[in-house]
Amino acid sequence: SDADEQLIIFIPFNGVVKLKSFVIIGGGGGSCPSSVKLFINKDNIDFESVEQLKPVQTILLAEGDANGELEYPVQVTKFANCSSITMFIPGNYGAPTTQIHFIGLKGEFTPLKRVPVHAQYELVPAAASSKTQAESSASHSIS
């Protein structure tokens, strides 16, 4: 974006996640993020579209948590089926750029279960399952 304090962080998962909380450690001197807007299962967010989208949750972040002691809970019911999370950081506490040193996510992970799909394709319909045109019209005619 034109503003160096804005960041978009896309985090894809190779399974399904039920996010419960997160930790974020930013830089010092006002360069840590002041808030974060969270989106789920959207892989096409950019700086032009993010302002028009409604976030699932917006969280105000504290300044000066250099050790990651503050854990930010999310509304678990809204984050129960995540295949990806996008974090939009619109600004910081006054520095020209935003710095992030660590992002930690806490929740439950369920790996995707890949099982083969058994499908039957008929190039020519089976005789028992198809009706001829004459049979179909005869069953719909009124006497």
Side-chain angles (χ1 to χ4, degrees), residues 122-139:
E122 296 179 5
L123 295 176
V124 178
S129 67
S130 65
K131 293 183 180 181
T132 65
Q133 179 104 18
E135 291 173 335
S136 180
S137 349
S139 65

Side-chain angles (χ1 to χ4, degrees), residues 85-132:
I85 293 175
T86 303
M87 298 178 145
F88 172 58
I89 296 168
N92 59 28
Y93 282 98
T97 59
T98 299
Q99 294 181 3
I100 295 178
H101 299 287
F102 175 80
I103 295 175
L105 305 174
K106 293 185 179 182
E108 297 173 11
F109 175 78
T110 305
L112 291 177
K113 294 181 178 142
R114 298 180 185 227
V115 295
V117 175
H118 297 286
Q120 180 178 352
Y121 296 98
E122 296 179 5
L123 295 176
V124 178
S129 67
S130 65
K131 293 183 180 181
T132 65

Side-chain angles (χ1 to χ4, degrees), residues 53-117:
L53 296 172
K54 183 177 189 247
V56 176
Q57 188 171 355
T58 301
I59 297 175
L60 299 175
L61 304 174
E63 185 177 10
D65 183 24
N67 296 323
E69 295 171 354
L70 294 176
E71 189 172 314
Y72 299 98
V74 298
Q75 297 170 347
V76 178
T77 56
K78 293 184 178 182
F79 292 87
N81 193 20
C82 300
S83 59
S84 68
I85 293 175
T86 303
M87 298 178 145
F88 172 58
I89 296 168
N92 59 28
Y93 282 98
T97 59
T98 299
Q99 294 181 3
I100 295 178
H101 299 287
F102 175 80
I103 295 175
L105 305 174
K106 293 185 179 182
E108 297 173 11
F109 175 78
T110 305
L112 291 177
K113 294 181 178 142
R114 298 180 185 227
V115 295
V117 175

